[in-house]
Amino acid sequence: MKVLEMNKEILGKEHSSTLISMTNLAIVYSDLGKWKEAEKLELEVLEMTPKLHGKEHPDTLLSMANLAITYSNLGKWEKAENLDLEVLKMRIRFYGEEHLETVQSMASLAVTYSEIGKWEQAEKLEIKVFKIIKRLLGEEHHDTLQSMTNLAATYSNLGKWEQAEKLQIKVLEIWIRTLGEDHPKTVQSMAYLAASYSNLGKWEKAEKLQIQVLDKRLKIYGEDHLNTLRGMSKLARTYTDLGKWKKAEIMLEQALDKAIRLYGEDHYDTWKEAEELQVQVLELKIKLLGANHFSTIRSMANLARTYCDLGKWKEAEGLQVHLGVIYSQIGKLKEAEKLQLHALNEAKEVLGEDHPDTVLCMNNLSDTYVKKEILRRQNCYYASL
């Protein structure tokens, strides 16, 4: 920050050294997850770089590529896609298809396609990226292995699990041979292969590999690390698939406690991890205890709060409606009324009074009012005896 301010003061805002300082600071912000701050700086850099170097200069293309990555991190997929496409077209024209910077643009665009569900387009690009990188760098280069990993992930998204499994086995073999079994990249590769085993219903293989992954992550990162937490979550999911309910429940509860302790209740990453864990906890409790058990209801309420903290209002509202109906069914009428009133007001505001979901909320609240009135009359009757 000091270097940037000095460069602005001494050299001016549009000097190349100032722009480099701004780019470096934006990278630091990105590494810290401060995407909005990075975006603001990168927009300034992109505005000034073409004036200094021209629209098709490598520095201009790099500033566009950096901003596209930040747009992706902010979930601004359409903007990311448009920028990625523009950079790719210019790099093809400037360098040709087989240049590493062009291939990097192809890979970035493929990731954006994957994020917005354009998996066929992602697959097509990723196959191209893999072939070019393999030819340029060799099969065992880290970039080649990353391209194989990305392609395997896209195969999984397309339901091509056998192809994903085949690629991931090959990648894992190379990582073990070149880096050893305990390297973080090798362990991550094991986790990806375990996910493919799960997709294929090979639960015992998935369990065996996920136990290894969790053990290695505990040694590499310790108990209180996000990667360890994710390892616990995936293993708990496999325990559920295998019908090992108690093991799954214990591991999920431990992982959820660790997520809150690790980041604090107000940290965004806590809620992202908590959402996945709480969905698993809820699914497990519905299977074990039923939807109306008090422990299941508590899990629903926790998940609804997490949806609210993540800004997922539609999911939160849906869960609150369901929870309100359950409260009403089991006689917790005050809790039901509170939830159903909130859901109704939200539905009116977002959907309008005549929307079917709003009408459903009205009907649910009406049922609860009827039950309250019946209960009031019963209490009056018994009081008069």
Side-chain angles (χ1 to χ4, degrees):
M1 185 74 82
K2 269 189 175 181
V3 173
L4 175 57
E5 294 306 319
M6 286 173 63
N7 282 341
K8 279 183 179 178
E9 189 176 333
I10 298 167
L11 302 171
K13 194 174 181 181
E14 296 189 7
H15 193 278
S16 59
S17 295
T18 307
L19 295 179
I20 289 169
S21 296
M22 292 171 76
T23 300
N24 290 339
L25 181 57
I27 290 169
V28 171
Y29 281 144
S30 294
D31 289 340
L32 293 170
K34 296 183 175 182
W35 311 118
K36 287 184 180 177
E37 290 89 340
E39 178 190 22
K40 186 180 177 183
L41 271 178
E42 286 165 350
L43 281 167
E44 288 184 56
V45 171
L46 183 55
E47 184 184 349
M48 290 182 282
T49 306
K51 295 176 186 176
L52 196 64
H53 299 299
K55 192 174 181 181
E56 294 194 359
H57 189 276
D59 287 353
T60 305
L61 297 182
L62 180 60
S63 67
M64 292 169 72
N66 289 341
L67 180 58
I69 292 168
T70 300
Y71 281 150
S72 294
N73 288 322
L74 286 166
K76 298 181 177 181
W77 305 116
E78 190 177 338
K79 286 187 175 184
E81 181 184 4
N82 290 337
L83 257 187
D84 280 331
L85 277 167
E86 195 176 347
V87 172
L88 178 56
K89 286 175 185 175
M90 286 196 278
R91 280 182 169 167
I92 288 172
R93 189 164 63 248
F94 197 75
Y95 299 117
E97 277 204 345
E98 302 243 339
H99 192 279
L100 282 175
E101 289 198 28
T102 308
V103 176
Q104 187 180 43
S105 290
M106 289 181 191
S108 180
L109 179 57
V111 169
T112 303
Y113 282 151
S114 292
E115 292 290 351
I116 59 179
K118 294 183 177 181
W119 293 310
E120 289 83 4
Q121 287 164 268
E123 178 189 19
K124 187 178 176 182
L125 260 184
E126 283 165 350
I127 289 170
K128 195 171 189 177
V129 168
F130 167 54
K131 287 179 178 177
I132 295 172
I133 291 184
K134 184 181 175 183
R135 190 161 56 248
L136 292 175
L137 302 176
E139 189 175 55
E140 296 194 357
H141 192 278
H142 288 195
D143 289 348
T144 309
L145 295 174
Q146 185 59 54
S147 72
M148 293 168 73
T149 300
N150 292 344
L151 179 56
T154 299
Y155 282 151
S156 292
N157 287 325
L158 288 166
K160 298 180 179 181
W161 295 313
E162 291 84 1
Q163 287 168 264
E165 177 192 23
K166 187 178 176 182
L167 261 184
Q168 285 162 342
I169 288 170
K170 193 169 188 178
V171 170
L172 180 56
E173 286 171 352
I174 296 172
W175 282 132
I176 290 171
R177 187 167 65 251
T178 57
L179 297 176
E181 284 198 358
D182 296 324
H183 192 280
K185 285 185 180 292
T186 309
V187 177
Q188 185 59 53
S189 187
M190 287 180 182
Y192 290 145
L193 178 56
S196 282
Y197 284 152
S198 292
N199 287 330
L200 288 163
K202 298 180 179 180
W203 312 121
E204 289 79 8
K205 280 190 171 185
E207 178 189 18
K208 185 179 177 182
L209 207 51
Q210 284 166 341
I211 288 170
Q212 285 183 57
V213 168
L214 182 55
D215 182 56
K216 290 178 187 298
R217 283 180 173 172
L218 283 165
K219 289 175 184 174
I220 295 168
Y221 304 112
E223 283 189 8
D224 295 330
H225 192 279
L226 186 58
N227 286 335
T228 307
L229 187 67
R230 285 173 177 158
M232 295 173 73
S233 171
K234 300 301 180 187
L235 180 55
R237 170 68 71 183
T238 300
Y239 282 150
T240 302
D241 291 327
L242 286 166
K244 297 182 178 181
W245 313 114
K246 195 63 183 175
K247 279 189 172 183
E249 184 181 11
I250 291 168
M251 185 153 287
L252 285 170
E253 295 289 0
Q254 287 176 349
L256 197 52
D257 287 343
K258 285 179 187 292
I260 293 168
R261 193 174 75 247
L262 181 57
Y263 289 112
E265 291 192 1
D266 296 327
H267 196 286
Y268 182 69
D269 280 338
T270 302
W271 300 120
K272 285 195 294 183
E273 293 304 316
E275 178 192 1
E276 183 178 343
L277 291 165
Q278 286 172 335
V279 168
Q280 287 181 247
V281 169
L282 180 57
E283 289 172 356
L284 185 61
K285 287 187 176 178
I286 289 171
K287 285 179 182 177
L288 286 174
L289 306 172
N292 292 356
H293 192 277
F294 77 92
S295 184
T296 309
I297 293 168
R298 187 174 59 197
S299 294
M300 281 186 197
N302 290 338
L303 180 56
R305 279 197 297 272
T306 299
Y307 281 145
C308 289
D309 288 313
L310 285 167
K312 295 188 173 183
W313 311 116
K314 190 174 181 180
E315 291 88 341
E317 183 189 348
L319 208 53
Q320 286 170 341
V321 169
H322 186 61
L323 195 54
V325 170
I326 291 173
Y327 277 144
S328 184
Q329 287 174 345
I330 62 176
K332 293 193 170 186
L333 300 178
K334 284 184 180 178
E335 292 90 337
E337 181 184 3
K338 184 179 176 182
L339 272 177
Q340 288 167 343
L341 268 171
H342 182 268
L344 177 58
N345 290 333
E346 288 290 319
K348 281 181 179 179
E349 187 177 334
V350 176
L351 303 172
E353 288 201 3
D354 297 326
H355 191 278
D357 288 349
T358 308
V359 175
L360 177 63
C361 289
M362 289 179 185
N363 290 336
N364 289 339
L365 182 59
S366 175
D367 288 343
T368 299
Y369 283 149
V370 168
K371 287 177 181 177
K372 282 185 75 176
E373 179 59 21
I374 291 170
L375 184 63
R376 187 190 67 78
R377 291 181 182 182
Q378 285 176 343
N379 289 337
C380 289
Y381 172 74
Y382 288 122
S384 67
L385 293 178

